[in-house]
Amino acid sequence: MTIPFFPPDVFEDDREALLETVHEVGTAPAQRFILGEHTARLEDALRAWLGAADVVACGSGTTALTLVLTAMGIGAEDEVVIPAFGCAPLASTVVNLGATPVFADVDPWTMVADPEQIESLITPRTRAIMPAHVFSVMADMPRMRQIAERHRLRLLEDSAVAQGAVLDNHPAGRWGEAGVFSFVQVKTFGTAGEGGVVVTDDPALGGTVRMLRNHGQDGQRRFLHHCIGTNSRFDEILAAFQLHRLPGLADRLERRARIADYYTERFAPLAKHSVTAPPPGRNGRCFYVYSLLSERREELQQQLAARGIESHVYYPLPLPRQPAFEGFAAPDQTWPHAEYASRCTLAIPLYPHLTDAQVERIADTVCDFAGGNESR
Ligand SMILES: Cc1ncc(COP(=O)(O)O)c(C=O)c1O
């Protein structure tokens, strides 16, 4: 039996609940399908869970980033420093506001932006820095805060992949002036559709984002537009579904973390055999994707496939090498660690309903590949 990388049965246990939710919202007298009571309750629940001042649900993680950047006033002439290795919205959200993304190289092991690189790229035009948590590791947010404070820059934390991660007892999403989460299906708090949230401890910023997500209206009076917004409203059926899924989130996160702990323990001896696992531990770690590094990535991927295990290459090109963004890349700059990550990273399955036997089969296969089973 193949072990999928993107499991089609993520919501298998919740299918009845999903259908009930559709029925409940679809037949409720209010006939309210966006930004209603379920969305408000979801925002409240996440606010309480994170201890944040405000949580604003919106249409996707990408628009969550855009809403915050817009609320921060980022636009033409501005530069925003982002990681050179990561997903497209990091760069596209900046570009779509007329601003310029500046690409910072990453740490070769953790693949998150290197704070020293970020600081070295700050110019008089820099308005914001936007670090992102990657796969299994949170960005070095204490240093990002120091840099932002030292240079008086806005700090937006792209925590799209890091729901439930905690660094020094402080949750992901609450390290910047604002953070975002994505609810796209495969994320740790994914849903049966699109969605995301903005998290902030700044009530004014939260209020602006709240207006921006609904064409600049304030929720009190329709067709009075205080600012130029967009449509990034949240779906009521998905809000009710997320409320149903929230109580089980801690257990699902713990299961992910345990699988990751097991992988990391099994893979610890492999570094000298050309497969490197993410750093061990739980502090500042997220368990969204478990990504290995190997110079022999294609061979590893083939061996996994031969044993019925799907794997996935996230980001085969660094952002400044993507056709869409290369025009923004400084011609004399290089990103050797981002190139290395793009060439060597390979993600193996990590989701809560993997069985112990499947987890063991995956670990055995990686260890067999790297010769690590000899050292057991
Ligand atoms: C780091 C990062 N930022 C932003 C996003 C965008 O989120 P969404 O897909 O919900 O728009 C993603 C989603 O894949 C992501 O991984």
Side-chain angles (χ1 to χ4, degrees):
M1 283 283 282
T2 299
I3 304 175
F5 183 80
F6 295 110
D9 54 353
V10 188
F11 302 127
E12 187 131 306
D13 292 344
D14 300 298
R15 274 194 188 137
E16 281 308 311
L18 179 57
L19 291 175
E20 277 166 29
T21 301
V22 173
H23 187 264
E24 184 195 332
V25 176
T27 58
Q31 289 294 282
R32 182 136 193 189
F33 298 104
I34 48 162
L35 297 187
E37 53 154 327
H38 297 290
T39 303
R41 276 177 41 224
L42 177 65
E43 291 174 339
D44 283 346
L46 292 176
R47 193 163 31 229
W49 183 49
L50 292 159
D54 203 0
V55 170
V56 185
C58 51
S60 67
T62 304
T63 49
L65 291 176
T66 303
L67 295 176
V68 177
L69 290 169
T70 307
M72 287 177 167
I74 306 296
E77 309 299 323
D78 296 334
E79 290 176 351
V80 179
V81 187
I82 63 167
F85 180 75
C87 79
L90 281 162
S92 63
T93 52
V94 173
V95 171
N96 283 334
L97 289 173
T100 304
V102 175
F103 303 98
D105 207 1
V106 297
D107 179 281
W109 183 17
T110 60
M111 296 177 262
V112 295
D114 173 354
E116 270 174 37
Q117 262 274 312
I118 289 204
E119 194 157 22
S120 73
L121 293 168
I122 292 168
T123 73
R125 284 179 55 195
T126 310
R127 285 284 307 284
I129 57 178
M130 181 160 57
H133 311 315
V134 180
F135 309 145
S136 315
V137 184
M138 282 177 66
D140 186 345
M141 294 311 297
R143 301 245 335 250
M144 298 299 165
R145 271 188 176 176
Q146 285 166 6
I147 294 169
E149 275 163 29
R150 196 157 42 237
H151 299 272
R152 295 173 192 277
L153 301 173
R154 311 302 301 257
L155 176 59
L156 169 50
E157 178 188 359
D158 184 346
S159 41
V161 304
Q163 273 122 317
V166 176
L167 173 63
D168 299 343
N169 296 318
H170 203 69
R174 286 197 55 210
W175 280 90
E177 287 172 75
V180 307
F181 292 128
S182 162
F183 293 163
V184 84
Q185 189 167 343
V186 292
K187 298 289 194 283
T188 50
F189 190 41
T191 194
E194 296 280 3
V197 289
V198 171
V199 179
T200 182
D201 283 332
D202 177 348
L205 189 64
T208 305
V209 166
R210 210 167 269 286
M211 288 197 287
L212 288 170
R213 78 172 165 183
N214 194 11
H215 298 300
Q217 299 166 102
D218 62 13
Q220 306 298 318
R221 202 169 143 198
R222 279 189 85 183
F223 303 123
L224 177 64
H225 306 277
H226 300 279
C227 52
I228 302 171
T230 186
N231 174 2
S232 181
R233 299 180 292 231
F234 200 79
D235 184 289
E236 279 290 277
I237 293 172
L238 295 181
F241 187 55
Q242 290 303 76
L243 282 164
H244 161 78
R245 299 255 304 157
L246 188 58
L249 178 59
D251 284 349
R252 293 195 300 276
L253 288 170
E254 178 59 23
R255 172 71 184 155
R256 281 175 181 269
R258 282 181 184 211
I259 296 170
D261 286 346
Y262 176 78
Y263 283 155
T264 304
E265 197 192 314
R266 291 286 310 274
F267 301 156
L270 300 187
K272 58 182 183 299
H273 298 276
S274 82
V275 173
T276 307
R282 298 266 180 112
N283 187 34
R285 299 289 317 281
C286 33
F287 303 100
Y288 162 55
V289 161
Y290 194 94
S291 224
L292 301 165
L293 287 162
S294 175
E295 295 272 6
R296 294 162 56 209
R297 174 176 71 192
E298 274 66 36
E299 283 172 68
L300 174 56
Q301 188 160 33
Q302 278 161 17
Q303 183 146 329
L304 286 161
R307 299 220 190 147
I309 300 161
E310 289 182 359
S311 56
H312 189 67
V313 174
Y314 279 94
Y315 319 136
L317 282 178
L319 288 170
R321 298 276 183 238
Q322 293 283 354
F325 306 121
E326 62 191 358
F328 297 95
D332 51 349
Q333 201 186 342
T334 57
W335 301 269
H337 296 156
E339 303 271 11
Y340 170 76
S342 286
R343 198 173 64 246
C344 296
T345 186
L346 185 70
I348 56 176
L350 177 69
Y351 37 86
H353 59 291
L354 279 172
T355 65
D356 287 350
Q358 287 175 318
V359 171
E360 204 169 320
R361 187 167 122 209
I362 295 164
D364 282 348
T365 305
V366 173
C367 291
D368 285 348
F369 171 81
N373 272 336
E374 301 143 26
S375 51
R376 285 202 94 204

